[in-house]
Each structure stands twice: as C-alpha cells, then as structure tokens.
Amino acid sequence: MPQRPAQGQGIRAMSQEHIVPTTCTVPTTCTMDCPDTCALDVTVRDGRVVALHGRRDHPDTAGFICEKVSRFQERLYHPSRILHPLRRTGPKGEGRFEAISWDAALDEIAQRFREVRDRFGGEAILPFKYGGSNGFLGDGPVDDLFFARLGASRLAKTFCAAPTGEAAKGLYGKMPTTAFEDFVHARCIIIWGANPRVSNIHLLPYLKEARRRGAFVAVVDPLRTFPAADMDLHLPILPGTDLPLALALAHEADTQGWLDRAFLETHTTGADTLLAAAKDWDLPRAAHTCGVDVEAIRQLARAYQKASPALIRCGWGLERNQNGARAVAAILALPALYGKFGVKGGGYALSNSGAVRLETSALCEMPPWTSRVLNMSRLGALLQERQTSPLAPPIAALYVYNCNPVATAPDQNAVIQGLQREDLFTVVHEQVMTDTARYADIVLPAVTFLEQHEIKRGYGSYVVGGVRPAVAPEGEARPNEAVFSALAARLGFTDEIFTWDTETLIRRMAGALTGLQAQADTCLDGGIQAATFAGGTPIQFDTVMPRTPDERGHLAPAFLGEEPYRFEPVQVDGFPLALLSPASSRMTSSTFGEFNYPQLRLAMNPADAAARSLAQDDMVKVWNGLGEVHCPLDLTDRVRPGVVVLPKGAWMKTSANGRTAAALSPAHLEPTSGGACYNDARVEVARLTSAQDVR
C-alpha cells in the first residue's frame, strides 16, 4: 500500500530537499475554479505524480473527483509545459522563444516597468488576472501590494460573477447560502442557470437523494443538461430572458395571494418596487418572451409555492447578458416573496465565498491605490493603438497571470490585434504555452497546485483547504508570490510581506482568516477545515441573517438604479441565433485545453440545421460582425431551437481557422456591474462552400 507522510512531516521537508519516498500518498486540496474545492489524495511514485483520487475526509468530495482533475498529471508533464523563463525571438504570436535565466528575466521586467512608469506613469502598467483557480497566496495581498506600489492601473475582474456578486451583495450582503448537504431536505429545487453535471459534480448525489425523498426538481436552462429521469420539469428559455421569467413568478405569487406579506414587512425593503415591475409580466407575456409553454411556468410556480422547504440553486450562466444582474436580483428575491427562508434546505444557494474572509490589514499596510480601474472584459479595446477616445496614458506594459485572455476575453480578434503591438511589453506567467503566452515578450514558468503551498477557500463547499506540494516543481517553475517578491526587491519595495518565505505567509494568512479558527499546520499539511456556524450548517434568516447594515433583504437594491427590473431585449441585427458558450466537462475555463479538448464543434438543434440545409459533421462557418469560427457541426435536441453552442475556453488550435467562441462574443458590459455579456452573442451559421474557406 502507498505510504502517507506523517502530519507535519515528509512533504514539507521533501519540497525543500526534493526527497520523495518510492511511493507515497500526499493529501492536498484542488484549487481549480469550481464550487466543490475537493480534498485529494495524490499518489507519487519515484518523484512523479501517477494518480489523483478524492479523499473522504471532506463533507462533499466523498471519495470521487471529476475526470479532468483526475488526469491532472497530463497537464503537469505535458510537452507544452513551460520549464524555464523565456524571451521572445520571433514575431508576436509565433511562439518563438529562447531560454534565459530567472535573474535575466526579472531584471528585464523590472527595467521595462521602470521605463514605462518614468515615461507614462504607473497607470500605463496593467496587471491582468482572474484567479478563480488560485488561493490566497497566488491571488491576494502580495501581488496587489506590488502593483499598488507601482501605481499600476487596477483591474475590474468581470469575466464571471460580477453581476451575481453585486446582486447577492445588494440584496442580502452576501449572506451565507444553503449548504450542499442540506439540499436533501428540500421538497422543491430549482436549478437556474447552472449545470452541476460539468462544473459542480458533488452536488449531484444530494440532488439525487432529495429527489429520492420526493423533491420536485426543475431546471431552467436553454440547454437540456439533465436526463429526464433526474428532473421533473425543464424550462428551455431563450438566452437572456431569465428576468421576465422571474418577474412572472413574482407576478403569479402576487395575483394568487401567495406572498408572505408578514415576512416581507418584517425582513425586507423594496418589495413594492419589485412587484410593480412584475405587474407587466403575466404568464402569457413571459411565456412568449422566454419561448416556453405558459403551462410550464404555471407548473413551476405552483410546485415552488406548495413545497417546503423550497430551494433555488442560482448559477452563473444566467448572468452573462445585459440583463444579468437584474435577473439574478429578481431570482434571489423569490424566496422572500414566497416565504421560503427560515428552514433548513430552504432559501437559495449561490456563492459562499463570503463565509471565510482574509483580513489583509493583518498582513500588510496597503498604500492608497487610487489609479484608474480598467474592465478586463474590454481588453481588446483597451489595447488598441487607435481608438475614438484613446487611453491616456496608453497601456504600455501588460502582466498576465492566472488567466488566458486570448481564449477567454470577449472580442478575441481585438485582443489578438492588441497583443501584436510591438510597443506593448507583455509578461505572461503561466504553466503551459497557452494562446496568450505565444504573444508575450517574456514568459515565466509557473507552478501547478501540485507543486506549491496554498490556502484555498471554497465558494460552494464551506471549507478552507490546505494545499501542499506533492512533487518538486518541474523545471524552474515558481509560484506567484515568489515572483512578485523578487520583482519588489528589484524595484526597491521594502514591505515586510515581500521578505516572508512561504511557510511564514501560510502561518500569517491562516491567522488572518475570519469565519473559522484556522490552524496553520493543517493548511501546511494539506488538510481541510470547515467554516463554522451556530447550530451547524447555515439557515438563512434563522442562524444567519443578511449582512446588510439593517439585516434586511433589499429587494430593490440601489445598485440597480431607478428602474431596477427593466428588461432590455438583445438586438439581433440580422443574426437570428443566440450563441451560448457554457462550461465544458473537459475544461475549467481554458485550463486543460492543451490536452483535453482537441476539436471545437458547434452544437445545433436539428430544426435549425434543416432550415439551413445542414447535416451532421458538416464543416460550418459561424459568424457575426465581430468574426467567424470554422468547425464541424453536431446536431442534438439538447439545444433548443434558436440557440447554438460553442464551449467556452477552447484554444485556437481546436478550430479550422484558429478562432473560438470568444471571437463572436461582444465586449459590451452589463450596465450595473460591468460584467461580461458573452451570451448576448448573436450569430448565423452556414456550410463552408469550398476547401478554400477552411483556413
């Protein structure tokens, strides 16, 4: 049997001395951008990872993990793994580099940053990150302090969760939400804009158990993501029409006398504003706008009203349009209107990241960082040399980490054009040679989570996981915090945090966490610690209350403006098909695209294909005013008519013309939160007519 290192021994020492037993099992935590935050056992043989399995000492992992993370060693040892610092030797985008030393790379970055700051000011430097697959060390106070000291531009992180985050904060102050294990108590569960089968698989056993106990399960999604045996009702609404559906449910509660007026009076504000907007959305109008049968909406309303406990699992898919924040706010208001709070298994489930927080002030003194804020979803426009209103100062240096914007940012063609600027100094710190890294001037090798220490906070499961290295880093890979500390020294920044080693950082950060009594040794040893609540798991409006100043739910939150529930239809402009770019079971955003997603394929309903004389496996062109994608066609009735699907995060190599869904995604923003509006993409599809077109 494999040996497990003793707590506090073995791997921590091994990571420093590169000594590994012949075969051992290393406990750690998955850092991938997923609500589950799984506990893992990593099997290491002769210094190499050979297998990953789910641990059982975790409330949700329960001994199994997703297919993509179970194959993580394929990323760890992939031929495209970046092993040494690299300097560009050819045109941007060709991926021609020479190996250089870390000292040479860091000296060059520091010197170029000085030159940019001296010429244009610090705001001409833009840190570009997302960070969903990172913990507190790799996406937190160390990097933020570094860029604050530089006076760099700040980044609005809007690819995901900006609208849902603003809605959850505006209505309930990011109150902790229903724990996964409490789903089994619900007698009605609405899965709205989420697909746990590909991006939250540890919720599925709880859903199955709830249904076994008699729960009514409804799914609101333009795609059929659940088999018929696992749900009672599917509403395949048109993309971007979640707001009319939610308002129709509010209208039905009002007209049928189902409102919990006592709860609304005692625990909320703004219900009258919401209900006034809902008066315009009776069931027939909503059904017509959403493209579903009116009886289906009525059935959903009745099932939700009758059941107790009743629960809405709100996902992030429904936010990706210009009505996103309004829709999420209306959905999160439904438990208050229908009286579904105050019981175990009732209320709503969304992000739980607010349950545990890092008090940065306990680690370092952050200087005033008052530079301009640039929205990451507008990267293509921000990088353009010629704009209607050019940036002043322009972006002259770009530091990309924890992110692959060529694969994930809207308006891919504009992003690529911007990255090709010869006067733009671009640094990419990355694990493998991504599409973005090919456009860098300097590429730095990054560790994976199997080669580092970290602290990972869950945003679904109520856990904080310790991350410990299972193996020594491949090549010369380094973690983010080490690189920023080294750059800080070169630029003369003397903050104490830049001098701390990794163990010191872990211990200090563990002591600065709120929401649990974190043990630093457990973090260092790869263990799991649970957030703490009175009475066990949280019950909304019972054991946990809104984190608003008055502990009330604000159903017409100020951030939504004077018309908080105004619906704005998407302009079609001659492109009749809505393009969705949902999560894939093969990738986490774009991670794993180097090996696990070889070919991009367009999914389309057979009726839409017949109207265009298209057949299975035809090579098609998907296009709009921003660009086009060439790929084979899949016909499936899982996609409703009027909708086509290209998964998010695919790499350029997967299509016939080197473009992906991001090339078709508009760069306009959700108006109240600045969130990306990927699902507002409207396209047309046709067969490629000749071999010349396949390029």
Side-chain angles (χ1 to χ4, degrees), residues 482-493:
V483 176
F484 288 117
S485 293
L487 285 171
R490 283 166 168 79
L491 287 164
F493 304 153

Side-chain angles (χ1 to χ4, degrees), residues 42 45 63 152 173 225 269 297 312 314 353 399 444 484 604 618 657:
V42 183
R45 183 174 302 128
T225 57
T269 66
I297 302 179
I312 297 176
C314 182
S353 62
Y399 192 108
L444 303 176
F484 288 117
M604 173 183 267
D618 278 352
N657 69 327

Side-chain angles (χ1 to χ4, degrees), residues 175 341-344 539-545:
M175 172 175 56
F341 285 122
V343 293
K344 187 178 287 291
I539 302 173
Q540 295 173 315
F541 285 91
D542 183 359
T543 62
V544 295
M545 297 297 290

Side-chain angles (χ1 to χ4, degrees), residues 316-644:
W316 292 268
L318 64 100
E319 73 169 11
R320 295 156 60 94
N321 65 85
Q322 63 191 18
N323 297 296
R326 300 181 186 114
V328 174
I331 291 165
L332 297 188
L334 292 175
L337 297 177
Y338 278 76
K340 302 304 180 184
F341 285 122
V343 293
K344 187 178 287 291
Y348 70 90
L350 185 57
S351 172
N352 293 322
S353 62
V356 175
R357 300 177 184 178
L358 178 68
E359 295 296 336
T360 301
S361 60
L363 302 172
C364 61
E365 182 178 350
M366 184 69 69
W369 195 7
T370 57
S371 58
R372 65 187 178 185
V373 178
L374 301 179
N375 192 304
M376 70 187 312
S377 296
R378 297 281 295 160
L379 179 63
L382 294 171
L383 292 179
Q384 296 302 303
E385 293 179 287
R386 297 179 180 85
Q387 301 182 78
T388 304
S389 300
L391 280 178
I395 298 173
L398 183 70
Y399 192 108
V400 181
Y401 61 114
N402 305 350
C403 197
N404 180 14
V406 170
T408 56
D411 198 359
Q412 185 178 62
N413 286 318
V415 172
I416 291 171
Q417 183 180 348
L419 290 174
Q420 289 175 325
R421 281 174 39 200
E422 283 296 330
D423 66 335
L424 174 69
F425 176 64
T426 301
V427 180
V428 176
H429 188 195
E430 186 54 90
Q431 298 166 3
V432 296
M433 186 58 67
T434 63
D435 290 337
T436 304
R438 295 174 65 86
Y439 290 89
D441 295 286
I442 298 290
V443 179
L444 303 176
V447 294
T448 69
F449 79 91
L450 296 180
E451 303 162 305
Q452 68 177 143
H453 279 293
E454 254 292 7
I455 300 176
K456 178 65 175 179
R457 170 185 58 186
Y459 65 90
S461 297
Y462 280 114
V463 299
V464 169
V467 181
R468 68 187 294 182
V471 290
E474 286 291 289
E476 298 179 80
R478 294 185 184 180
N480 290 348
E481 68 275 9
V483 176
F484 288 117
S485 293
L487 285 171
R490 283 166 168 79
L491 287 164
F493 304 153
T494 58
D495 304 80
E496 185 183 6
I497 194 172
F498 293 132
T499 69
W500 293 345
D501 62 18
T502 298
E503 181 169 340
T504 301
L505 270 171
I506 292 282
R507 293 191 178 280
R508 297 290 183 92
M509 285 184 172
L513 294 177
T514 64
L516 79 168
Q517 295 294 319
Q519 300 298 316
D521 284 340
T522 304
C523 295
L524 287 162
D525 292 330
I528 289 289
Q529 301 173 77
T532 54
F533 300 96
T537 52
I539 302 173
Q540 295 173 315
F541 285 91
D542 183 359
T543 62
V544 295
M545 297 297 290
R547 292 176 170 177
T548 54
D550 58 1
E551 291 194 341
R552 288 187 168 211
H554 298 288
L555 307 189
F559 88 95
L560 290 179
E562 295 182 358
E563 298 180 86
Y565 293 107
R566 183 182 70 255
F567 175 63
E568 297 180 2
V570 174
Q571 298 301 310
V572 174
D573 296 330
F575 296 99
L577 298 170
L579 173 67
L580 293 185
S581 50
S584 163
S585 63
R586 294 179 175 270
M587 294 179 289
T588 301
S589 191
S590 71
T591 303
F592 307 114
E594 73 278 5
F595 76 88
N596 206 27
Y597 196 85
Q599 185 182 52
L600 187 65
R601 299 180 72 92
L602 179 76
M604 173 183 267
N605 186 275
D608 289 328
R612 294 162 175 79
S613 300
L614 299 174
Q616 174 70 26
D617 296 323
D618 278 352
M619 285 296 298
V620 296
K621 176 178 73 171
V622 193
W623 84 95
N624 61 19
L626 295 173
E628 59 185 62
V629 177
H630 300 174
C631 64
L633 179 66
D634 278 335
L635 302 185
T636 173
D637 62 3
R638 291 182 55 251
V639 178
R640 63 155 292 149
V643 175
V644 291

Side-chain angles (χ1 to χ4, degrees), residues 184-204:
V184 301
H185 302 294
R187 290 300 170 262
C188 175
I189 300 173
I190 303 175
I191 309 295
W192 200 320
N195 183 6
R197 299 180 69 83
V198 303
S199 57
N200 181 193
I201 64 171
H202 291 88
L203 182 59
L204 295 177

Side-chain angles (χ1 to χ4, degrees), residues 99-145:
I100 58 176
S101 69
W102 265 106
D103 281 341
L106 295 171
D107 288 346
E108 183 168 344
I109 294 167
Q111 179 59 32
R112 294 293 294 271
F113 279 3
R114 284 194 198 94
E115 292 171 356
V116 168
R117 186 177 58 181
D118 291 346
R119 180 179 178 187
F120 298 108
E123 287 186 328
I125 302 169
L126 177 64
F128 198 91
K129 63 173 179 176
Y130 186 72
S133 291
N134 291 76
F136 288 123
L137 275 72
D139 179 29
V142 179
D143 52 315
D144 285 347
L145 178 60

